[in-house]
């Protein structure tokens, strides 16, 4: 009897602590993965914009056209 009471006391919603720790770790990992993917996308958009600006500034034809249109 005493063993069954101890087993009953260590359950949360019918599952053991280990189950909930494992489930929490998986959910936390999934949330972290989504956040990292979001941050990488944000960083790549910024990098692409900077690369475009640098390429535009280094383009000789673009500079010549800008000088002609400025005059």
């Amino acid at each position: 009897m005493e063993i069954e009471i101890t087993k009953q006391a260590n359950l949360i919603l019918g599952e053991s602590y280990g189950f909930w720790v494992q489930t929490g770790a998986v959910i936390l990992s999934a949330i972290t993965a989504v956040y990292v993917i979001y941050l990488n996308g944000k960083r790549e958009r910024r990098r692409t914009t900077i690369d475009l600006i640098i390429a535009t500034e280094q383009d000789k034809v673009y500079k010549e056209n800008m000088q002609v249109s400025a005059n």
Side-chain angles (χ1 to χ4, degrees), residues 6-33:
T6 305
K7 284 184 180 179
Q8 293 283 338
N10 288 334
L11 297 179
I12 300 173
L13 296 175
E15 297 294 338
S16 66
Y17 290 132
F19 172 81
W20 292 111
V21 169
Q22 181 179 358
T23 303
V26 169
I27 291 171
L28 183 62
S29 297
I31 291 170
T32 303

Side-chain angles (χ1 to χ4, degrees), residues 34-71:
V34 168
Y35 184 64
V36 166
I37 291 169
Y38 168 75
L39 289 180
N40 283 341
K42 190 174 179 181
R43 183 184 63 188
E44 286 301 318
R45 285 191 299 273
R46 185 177 296 147
R47 176 185 279 173
T48 303
T49 302
I50 291 170
D51 288 344
L52 177 66
I53 292 169
I54 290 172
T56 303
E57 291 297 320
Q58 292 177 348
D59 188 9
K60 292 180 183 179
V61 175
Y62 174 77
K63 284 183 180 180
E64 290 172 2
N65 289 340
M66 290 300 290
Q67 287 176 353
V68 169
S69 65
N71 293 329

